[in-house]
Structures are given as C-alpha cells and as structure tokens.
C-alpha cells in the first residue's frame, strides 16, 4: 500500500491549512473543524475567486492567513479583513506559499490539476495531506508518490471511496489485498439512454441524486468520468493493478467501497452520503473525532442495490482502464482533456456526449515517456490542454 502510516503529534491541537477552502470539500472541512474546535488551529485558507466567502471563513475559523488566487481581488480581501490579525495575500504563488507554511495537516481540496503545485509543496515538507483533489494524483501519480516517499509525507484519502478502502485495509498488509471494489452512485443519468443523454443540458447533468458537490465533479459523476478518475486514483494510492480494481453501481451511496482479501473476506465501510464522514476520518486520523452527522438506520433504508456499470452507455471506465494500461503520458492526457471538455460543456459550447468523446480522441496522442519532474508534467499538461481546446473548437463549430 502506498498510503503511508505515520504518527502525528499527540495531545495538542492539530494545525490545519485548507487549500480550496471556499469549495464543497473545503466548506465541509470547515464545518468539521467548527464542530471540534479544541482539536484544531487554522493556519491558512486559500480560495480562487470567492473572496467574501474566504474572508468570512477566515474570521470564523480564526485563521492566521487568507489567500485569494486572483490577485485583482486582493484589495477586496484586505478591506474585508481590516481590523483583524489575519494576513491577506493574493496570487497563485501565494497559494503555494500557504501550502509551505508549517501546518501539520493540509486539506488538498482545490479542483483540477491547478491543485498539483500547492499539494506537492505540502508533500515536500513532509506534511499529513488529506487528499480530495484526485486530478493532481491522476496527472502526476508517479511524481507525487515518489515525493511522498522521499519526504516522509502521509497521504490520507478523503475521496469517500478511497477513504472507505483505506479504513477497510487498516491493519492488513498490501499483499493480502486481492481486489478493490469502487462503488458508484451511477449519477443523474444512470437510467438514461445515449440518445437522451445526447440532449442533456447543464442543469440535467448538475442534478446529482445523492451528493451535493462542486460543478466539475458533478459533471464528472454524470459522465462517470469521476469513477474513471477514481479508478486511476485507487491504482496509485493503493498500488493495486488495474485488473484487480472493479466498479459496481450502488445507487443508494451507503457502501462507499469494499476490499476483498486473499482469505475470501470482504470489508466495506458504510455511512450516509455526507463528505464530513471521510473528512473527519482524515482530519482526526489516527484517532476519531466526535461529529454529529446523521447515523445509519439500515431498517429505514430497507435494502441496498447493486448493478454492473454499463460501459456501452458510459465508456469513461473503459477509457480509464486503457489509459492505465497505456501508461506514459496517457493519464495526463485523460485528465487534461476531461477538464477542458467539462469547462466547455458548462459554458454550453459542446454537448454532453462530446465530453468523453474528446477524452477518447486525446488518448490517441499518448506517448510512452515517463515524465518524472514537475516542470515536465506541467508543460505536457499545458500542451494536452491546447490540443483538447482545438477538439472543443471543432465540435463547437459542428454544433452550430
Ligand atoms: P469546488 O468547485 O466546490 O471547489 C474548488 C475549490 O478550489 C474552491 O475553493 C475554488 O476557489 C478553488 N479553486 C478553483 N480553481 C482554482 C485554481 N485555479 N487555483 C486555486 N484554487 C482554485 O470543488 P469540490 O470541493 O467539489 O472538489 C474539490 C476536489 O475534491 C476535486 O478534485 C474533487 O474531485 C474532489 N472531491 C470532491 C468531492 C465533493 O463532494 N465535492 C468528493 C470527493 C472528491 P473559488 O471557489 O474561490 O473560486
Ligand atoms: Mg468519490
């Protein structure tokens, strides 16, 4: 298992930085901290554009520093924080600097590959990292894992499925894991035909039946790209080969994932679909916090359903497997094309089915080079985005 085990400082409050504090995961992290204030001190909070929300959170959590990525919003942040002791900073570099501050725990909850540099900065100083930002692991898995090992950092999975598997594996050695089973809600289009999906609107795709999340991951759930990214994430986090990771659709989202061991035992982790559960697990690890989330009532739920994913209607899972098996630059192309295509769909420039189709086209450019430095990964990611933008433009023209 690649997820490291280390002992954090016992007895004193844990200092925490939240990267992406104004997002869905960032907000849930703030709620858990507010519920258990004696356990935490907040070092830094970062955001990209929601400056008022950032200032409000910084005051509520008594943060040392608040950082807004968009430099043009720094004057607004400074005026909102006037009269407090909170330092206001602005710009992308300032987000990386925030990750370098000496917080014990960094919640990596920026969306997309933009989270890579700050997350890597926290890894490089050996921090405990709560990893929600799956895209950075997908596009730079080997680099991140080698930096984790080199710097004695600890990755604690926050994505609910990976957190579930981490909890199930605890205490067992990697070689006794035979199979990982990722559960998937199936998203809003679980029962839709391809034809109906071809006309799906932004609003249809954002209407997730079980989870309330940021816009990008909501679209990823509708295409099942989210599960595809999670398959790659599981491969890197747990060091398990692609063919030993399966996906099952479980519409109630009560079982968050399962691990099958070589002796035939399968362990699962269950909770209502509320991100505060995996967030609290990571924030408190290795101890448990007291958090007032709704407890499971199995009798009220009655039954749990499972079905095989339909890769005909949702080809994303097949593409993730192909990307993992192709290796080289495939995971970077996969993630970059998806980010570009999701943004174009949200801007109503392309149709819903174009998203996965653009990713499939992007994978044709794969080359076998292993990119081992941050600079190489970032440069390749930029060129992958340029090509994906060209695909978007071609499709947008066809749609007119
Ligand atoms: P949101 O869109 O809700 O939040 C994203 C956060 O990142 C915001 O704080 C945003 O700032 C900030 N941000 C956006 N762009 C940049 C940038 N270029 N540089 C720095 N910061 C930026 O996303 P979620 O909270 O939904 O998701 C965050 C990550 O966690 C994703 O990788 C997602 O896949 C993963 N995840 C999310 C889950 C969920 O339930 N939401 C569940 C499991 C994993 P601002 O809003 O101020 O512009
Ligand atoms: Mg998930």
């Amino acid at each position: 298992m690649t997820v490291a085990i280390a002992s954090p400082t016992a007895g004193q409050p844990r200092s925490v930085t939240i990267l992406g504090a104004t997002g869905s995961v960032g907000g849930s992290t703030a709620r858990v901290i507010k519920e258990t204030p004696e356990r935490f001190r907040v070092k830094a909070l970062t955001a990209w554009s929601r400056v008022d929300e950032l200032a409000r959170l910084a005051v509520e959590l008594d943060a040392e520093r608040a950082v807004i990525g968009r430099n043009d919003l720094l004057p607004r942040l400074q005026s909102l924080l006037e009269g407090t002791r909170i330092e206001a900073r602005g710009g992308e570099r300032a987000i990386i600097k925030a990750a370098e501050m000496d917080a014990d725990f960094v919640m990596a909850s920026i969306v997309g590959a933009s989270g890579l540099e700050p997350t890597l900065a926290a890894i490089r100083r050996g921090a405990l990292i709560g990893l929600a930002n799956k895209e950075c692991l997908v596009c730079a898995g080997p680099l991140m894992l080698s930096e984790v090992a080199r710097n004695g950092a600890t990755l604690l999975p926050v994505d609910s499925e990976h957190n579930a598997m981490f909890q199930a594996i605890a205490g067992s050695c990697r070689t006794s894991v035979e199979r990982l089973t990722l559960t998937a809600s199936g998203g809003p289009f679980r029962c839709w035909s391809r034809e109906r999906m071809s006309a799906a609107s932004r609003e249809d795709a954002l209407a997730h039946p079980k989870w309330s999340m940021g816009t990008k991951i909501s679209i990823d759930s509708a295409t099942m790209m989210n599960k595809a990214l999670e398959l790659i994430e599981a491969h890197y986090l747990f060091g398990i080969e692609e063919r030993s990771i399966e996906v099952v659709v479980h519409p109630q989202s009560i079982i968050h994932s399962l691990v099958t061991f070589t002796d035939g035992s399968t362990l699962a982790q269950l909770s209502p679909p509320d991100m505060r559960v995996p967030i609290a697990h990571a924030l408190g690890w290795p101890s448990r916090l007291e958090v007032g989330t709704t407890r499971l009532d199995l009798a009220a739920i009655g039954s749990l359903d499972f079905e095989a994913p339909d890769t005909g209607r949702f080809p994303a899972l097949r593409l993730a497997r192909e990307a993992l098996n192709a290796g080289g630059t495939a995971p970077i192309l996969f993630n970059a094309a998806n980010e570009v295509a999701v943004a174009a769909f949200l801007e109503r420039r392309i149709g819903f089915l174009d998203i996965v189709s653009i990713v499939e086209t992007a994978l044709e450019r794969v080359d076998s080079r292993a990119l081992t430095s941050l600079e190489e990964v970032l440069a390749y990611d930029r060129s992958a985005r340029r090509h994906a933008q060209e695909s978007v433009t071609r499709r947008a023209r066809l749609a007119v």
Side-chain angles (χ1 to χ4, degrees):
M1 186 166 81
T2 317
V3 180
I5 302 294
S7 264
T9 21
Q12 335 162 354
R14 181 171 270 178
S15 55
V16 175
T17 285
I18 309 177
L19 303 173
T22 46
S24 166
V25 172
S28 296
T29 306
R31 282 175 72 196
V32 172
I33 291 176
K34 276 189 261 176
E35 228 184 296
T36 49
E38 67 293 346
R39 299 285 300 263
F40 301 102
R41 259 182 323 110
V42 174
K43 243 344 194 221
L45 301 179
T46 81
W48 180 251
S49 58
R50 284 181 264 183
V51 65
D52 290 45
E53 173 69 2
L54 173 66
R56 187 184 65 74
L57 280 171
V59 170
E60 272 179 26
L61 295 172
D62 194 22
E64 276 178 37
R65 185 181 295 181
V67 180
I68 190 77
R70 269 181 49 189
N71 227 342
D72 58 311
L73 295 172
L74 181 58
R76 169 92 188 143
L77 182 64
Q78 285 166 328
S79 92
L80 288 165
L81 295 179
E82 213 175 286
T84 71
R85 288 177 301 112
I86 306 165
E87 301 167 7
R89 298 282 158 86
E92 289 179 53
R93 187 70 225 153
I95 296 181
I96 298 170
K97 287 256 177 244
E100 286 169 350
M101 287 168 80
D102 64 348
D104 301 320
F105 183 105
V106 174
M107 179 58 80
S109 52
I110 290 174
V111 61
S114 310
L116 174 59
E117 283 190 82
T119 305
L120 209 51
I123 289 173
R124 285 179 171 158
R125 58 173 189 78
L128 276 174
I129 317 281
L131 188 73
N133 178 203
K134 63 195 87 183
E135 296 91 344
C136 70
L137 191 63
V138 170
C139 75
L143 168 67
M144 277 177 65
L145 296 177
S146 74
E147 293 290 319
V148 164
R150 199 156 67 90
N151 297 287
T154 303
L155 288 185
L156 297 165
V158 168
D159 209 348
S160 56
E161 297 77 2
H162 306 74
N163 179 269
M165 295 188 282
F166 180 58
Q167 294 196 46
I169 291 174
S172 301
C173 67
R174 150 76 188 83
T175 51
S176 61
V177 174
E178 186 174 276
R179 194 175 71 204
L180 303 176
T181 305
L182 284 161
T183 53
S185 69
F189 303 151
R190 182 170 67 90
C191 303
W192 286 36
S193 65
R194 291 276 293 173
E195 194 192 357
R196 194 170 168 209
M197 278 189 256
S198 70
S201 69
R202 183 184 196 274
E203 290 68 32
D204 294 329
L206 286 173
H208 197 280
K210 286 289 167 199
W211 296 92
S212 159
M213 309 180 287
T215 48
K216 196 263 176 181
I217 186 176
S218 297
I219 303 300
D220 285 345
S221 299
T223 52
M224 289 200 76
M225 264 296 170
N226 184 45
K227 216 45 58 181
L229 293 167
E230 288 181 359
L231 197 149
I232 301 175
E233 182 185 12
H235 163 76
Y236 287 136
L237 278 177
F238 301 108
I240 300 287
E241 54 199 358
E242 170 275 313
R243 66 168 186 274
S244 302
I245 308 172
E246 63 176 33
V247 174
V248 67
V249 175
H250 164 46
Q252 292 91 354
S253 297
I254 297 294
I255 296 183
H256 298 296
S257 278
L258 310 94
V259 179
T260 301
F261 295 92
T262 46
D263 59 4
S265 259
T266 294
L267 297 187
Q269 183 265 347
L270 289 75
S271 73
D274 182 336
M275 278 305 291
R276 285 178 298 160
V277 176
I279 288 169
H281 177 262
L283 274 175
W285 182 87
S287 62
R288 298 266 180 178
L289 304 178
E290 283 180 36
V291 180
T293 48
T294 308
R295 299 325 194 223
L296 265 191
D297 180 347
L298 287 176
I301 294 165
S303 62
L304 298 176
D305 301 312
F306 304 95
E307 61 200 40
D310 180 344
T311 49
R313 282 185 304 130
F314 297 100
L317 284 174
R318 170 179 59 78
L319 294 181
R321 293 189 188 282
E322 285 173 16
L324 267 182
N325 288 321
T329 58
I332 311 182
L333 292 166
F334 187 83
N335 179 66
N338 184 53
E339 286 195 34
V340 168
V342 169
F345 174 74
L346 285 168
E347 290 163 9
R348 303 183 200 278
R349 296 179 60 210
I350 56 170
F352 180 74
L353 293 181
D354 288 329
I355 301 173
V356 175
S357 169
I358 285 171
V359 174
E360 183 154 28
T361 306
L363 285 175
E364 289 166 11
R365 302 178 52 82
V366 63
D367 83 53
S368 57
R369 269 181 305 157
L371 306 181
T372 48
S373 75
L374 174 63
E375 293 65 32
E376 283 175 317
V377 170
L378 292 178
Y380 194 86
D381 178 69
R382 277 193 297 273
S383 89
R385 280 165 203 268
R386 273 196 302 278
H387 287 288
Q389 283 295 0
E390 287 162 17
S391 267
V392 163
T393 308
R394 274 194 301 278
R395 274 155 204 273
R397 265 199 221 112
L398 283 177
V400 174

